[in-house]
Amino acid sequence: MKNTWLFPIAFCDAAEPWQLGFQDAATPMMQGIIDLHHDIFFFLLIILIFVSWMLVRALWHFHYKRNPIPERIVHGTTIEILWTILPSIILMFIAIPSFALLYSMDEVVDPAVTIKAIGHQWYWTYEYSDYNSSDEESLTFDSYMITEDELELGSLRLLEVDHRVIVPAKTHLRLIITSADVLHSWAVPSLGVKCDAVPGRLNQTSIFIKRKGVYYGQCSELCGTNHAFMPIVVEAVSLDDYVSWVSNELD
């Protein structure tokens, strides 16, 4: 919940029944994805209106009752040039922002915190490797889905976990993702992250969460019979709260 001078705003950071649009963006990457979607949708609407107008106009004017003897036009040089150049220009307007967004998503900024996510059948293991003094003393925990009969009032069914991923807001984060058994996918829509967890391989992505909140996601790779029961919950807190949490976990 965010309070403004006019009215409070409740962000949508989890899936809702009959939801059609995106969840509210919590990272610059997700905001870029939403903006690109809206830009492309503008071009799609223009093309849809133009093609529909041409189709209706052709059906109306070239009906056999209105035009029993139609013209036989084999080539139209001008229109052929136009329908070759105009789509190229439209694709250029779409390609430039999409390439910029794609390259920015692959860029890994010097992170302040590194978290390793390991997919298992069917839960996630998280390791805060920055604080590991040895293999025996490490900040590592497993995150399991809370079953329906153990849910508290207000918790989200099939989305809540027993151990959330605690991260500081407004901080550059690096997420290293891998798997211990089969293919998984670490995906949180509000953060604009969807990265495959591949056995024997490390994938990485950058996250910069702009606001505090709780963000829900799920494994988006078909990983077995319990694929739908390994959710992801990321809680972004202030830097002071994050330091306190790390201190308590290491004690």
Side-chain angles (χ1 to χ4, degrees):
M1 182 76 71
K2 177 183 178 182
N3 291 321
T4 63
W5 65 274
L6 187 59
F7 50 82
I9 299 175
F11 291 103
C12 174
D13 298 323
E16 295 182 346
W18 302 97
Q19 181 176 341
L20 295 178
F22 294 100
Q23 295 178 18
D24 292 321
T27 63
M29 290 300 117
M30 188 59 196
Q31 188 61 54
I33 293 172
I34 294 175
D35 292 341
L36 179 63
H37 170 270
H38 294 345
D39 293 342
I40 294 177
F41 203 77
F42 167 78
F43 289 106
L44 291 178
L45 286 177
I46 297 299
I47 294 172
L48 176 64
I49 293 172
F50 177 74
V51 172
S52 299
W53 176 76
M54 290 289 293
L55 180 62
V56 172
R57 186 176 184 276
L59 293 175
W60 176 265
H61 288 286
F62 294 94
H63 192 270
Y64 72 96
K65 292 183 178 179
R66 296 184 181 82
N67 194 13
I69 305 176
E71 295 285 344
R72 294 186 176 273
I73 301 176
V74 179
H75 290 288
T77 305
T78 303
I79 194 172
E80 288 179 0
I81 293 175
L82 287 176
W83 73 39
T84 301
I85 294 177
L86 288 179
S88 302
I89 296 175
I90 293 174
L91 289 176
M92 182 184 67
F93 277 106
I94 294 175
I96 293 175
S98 65
F99 284 155
L101 178 62
L102 183 63
Y103 285 121
S104 63
M105 292 175 68
D106 286 337
E107 186 71 21
V108 178
V109 182
D110 187 20
V113 178
T114 298
I115 303 172
K116 185 177 182 181
I118 306 171
H120 301 271
Q121 290 180 316
W122 286 271
Y123 63 97
W124 293 95
T125 297
Y126 296 99
E127 177 184 323
Y128 289 70
S129 54
D130 294 330
Y131 315 110
N132 291 357
S133 57
S134 64
D135 292 338
E136 291 78 14
E137 298 181 4
S138 61
L139 180 46
T140 305
F141 57 86
D142 297 330
S143 181
Y144 290 89
M145 185 193 75
I146 297 179
T147 58
E148 189 171 355
D149 56 345
E150 296 177 346
L151 282 177
E152 297 180 357
L153 184 63
S155 299
L156 299 178
R157 177 178 173 270
L158 301 182
L159 287 178
E160 194 57 72
V161 296
D162 56 356
H163 286 91
R164 295 175 174 178
V165 183
I166 308 298
V167 298
K170 299 181 181 179
T171 303
H172 288 287
L173 312 173
R174 175 174 60 183
L175 190 68
I176 299 175
I177 302 170
T178 187
S179 173
D181 36 50
V182 299
L183 289 176
H184 299 279
S185 185
W186 201 88
V188 182
S190 290
L191 305 182
V193 176
K194 184 179 183 297
C195 188
D196 286 343
V198 182
R201 177 175 178 176
L202 295 177
N203 290 329
Q204 70 174 357
T205 184
S206 285
I207 305 174
F208 182 85
I209 303 178
K210 300 184 293 183
R211 54 184 170 83
K212 293 185 290 184
V214 182
Y215 309 98
Y216 295 86
Q218 289 178 301
C219 174
S220 344
E221 191 71 58
L222 294 176
C223 57
T225 56
N226 289 333
H227 155 69
F229 307 109
M230 50 182 305
I232 302 159
V233 182
V234 178
E235 182 176 354
V237 299
S238 65
L239 185 58
D240 292 338
D241 291 341
Y242 173 75
V243 173
S244 299
W245 176 81
V246 171
S247 301
N248 293 333
E249 290 293 322
L250 292 177
D251 289 341

